[in-house]
Amino acid sequence: MLAIIGGSGMTKLASLEISHRQIVRTPYGEPSGPLTFGKIDNQEIVFLARHGHGHTIPPHAVNYQANIWALSLFKPKSVIAVVSVGGIRADLTPSTVVVPDQIIDYTYGRKCTYFDKTDRPITYTDFTHPFCLETRRHLLLAAEKANEKIIDGGVYAVTQGPRLETVAEVNRLEQDGADMVGMTGMPEAALAKELGLPYAAIAAVANHAAGRGTSVRAIPLEEVYAVLEKAMVSVRNILGHLVKINDG
């Protein structure tokens, strides 16, 4: 089974033949919504909309612990996180699709670990490679089979949100080595690593980050959503090919 977490621009999978939805209770509260089960090309899929039905849960308020725990109960072979980002690096232009390979975490106040109890020994999680190398390779192979252009690698800066960044903040992110900026990659990736889930992200570039691109003006949100939907067409095509690889 392949697990897919949909973010902004992907609150559902149009190609998913839904069999049922299931409400899952966890020790960490309720996930963003019911898990949706079904098939794509006869391959089993479980889907969760990160921001809930109607896209109502802001990035800092997502119950990442419950979401990842709920998906782990069904022992997926891989977890694919669909995220939208702003492009910092020059080649990460709007509508580009990229598979990041590193993360810098700028979030705060989020419940970021399953090992926060004092009644057991401290557990340290190796986060050298935040994304599963094999799952990343499968995403890149799926893009090749789908004849979709994709960029291999990039540093994903995760900010708190829900506001967007200032030009000065993006300048700092770039100086830190970030290539793109979004709001949902952490603690999601770290929690998946703690539970031993093979997790990788596929990022759709919705817009230039603040101060980047040919114009420094703020881009109207309706334009951002239009670009994001264009990128999501490619993402859905890639995921459609990924399910066959994941089943192999």
Side-chain angles (χ1 to χ4, degrees):
M1 176 180 288
L2 176 68
I4 299 173
I5 304 173
S8 297
M10 185 174 284
T11 57
K12 59 183 179 180
L13 280 174
S15 57
L16 182 63
E17 299 174 10
I18 297 174
S19 61
H20 68 283
R21 292 182 173 87
Q22 183 174 337
I23 296 174
V24 179
R25 309 295 183 188
T26 82
Y28 304 94
E30 293 187 2
S32 296
L35 303 187
T36 300
F37 294 84
K39 293 183 178 182
I40 297 177
D41 286 340
N42 211 37
Q43 307 302 328
E44 297 287 342
I45 301 291
V46 55
F47 178 81
L48 175 63
R50 183 187 291 111
H51 298 286
H53 179 70
H55 200 264
T56 57
I57 307 173
H60 68 288
V62 171
N63 190 338
Y64 296 97
Q65 286 179 313
N67 285 353
I68 295 298
W69 188 273
L71 291 173
S72 75
L73 296 177
F74 299 91
K75 296 179 171 51
K77 289 184 178 180
S78 299
V79 178
I80 305 299
V82 180
V83 299
S84 60
V85 298
I88 300 175
R89 204 172 72 198
D91 61 329
L92 298 186
T93 54
S95 78
T96 300
V97 178
V98 56
V99 180
D101 63 341
Q102 280 294 329
I103 282 180
I104 304 176
D105 185 12
Y106 297 92
T107 65
Y108 52 88
R110 302 183 182 188
K111 294 183 178 180
C112 59
T113 181
Y114 294 112
F115 303 118
D116 57 356
K117 304 295 184 182
T118 58
D119 60 348
R120 52 189 171 185
I122 298 172
T123 300
Y124 297 99
T125 300
D126 186 346
F127 208 48
T128 304
H129 299 289
F131 301 110
C132 172
L133 300 180
E134 182 178 18
T135 304
R136 288 190 70 259
R137 183 175 63 81
H138 286 174
L139 276 170
L140 296 169
L141 179 59
E144 180 182 340
K145 291 183 177 295
N147 199 29
E148 294 284 356
K149 182 179 178 181
I150 198 167
I151 294 179
D152 178 5
V155 179
Y156 174 17
V158 189
T159 56
Q160 181 72 357
R163 70 164 178 84
L164 299 173
E165 299 74 33
T166 67
V167 173
E169 287 171 332
V170 173
N171 289 342
R172 184 190 69 166
L173 298 179
E174 185 174 44
Q175 290 171 0
D176 286 351
D179 300 307
M180 68 198 85
V181 56
M183 302 175 186
T184 58
M186 289 292 289
E188 193 174 270
L191 292 168
K193 180 74 76 170
E194 286 186 351
L195 295 184
L197 294 175
Y199 173 101
I202 182 168
V205 181
N207 58 281
H208 290 290
R212 301 303 182 268
T214 57
S215 174
V216 296
R217 70 178 177 87
I219 302 173
L221 283 179
E222 56 269 22
E223 292 184 24
V224 173
Y225 290 141
V227 170
L228 184 56
E229 179 51 36
K230 178 182 177 182
M232 285 301 170
V233 172
S234 296
V235 170
R236 292 185 186 98
N237 190 20
I238 293 168
L239 293 178
H241 285 74
L242 177 66
V243 295
K244 302 171 187 177
I245 297 171
N246 191 75
D247 190 62

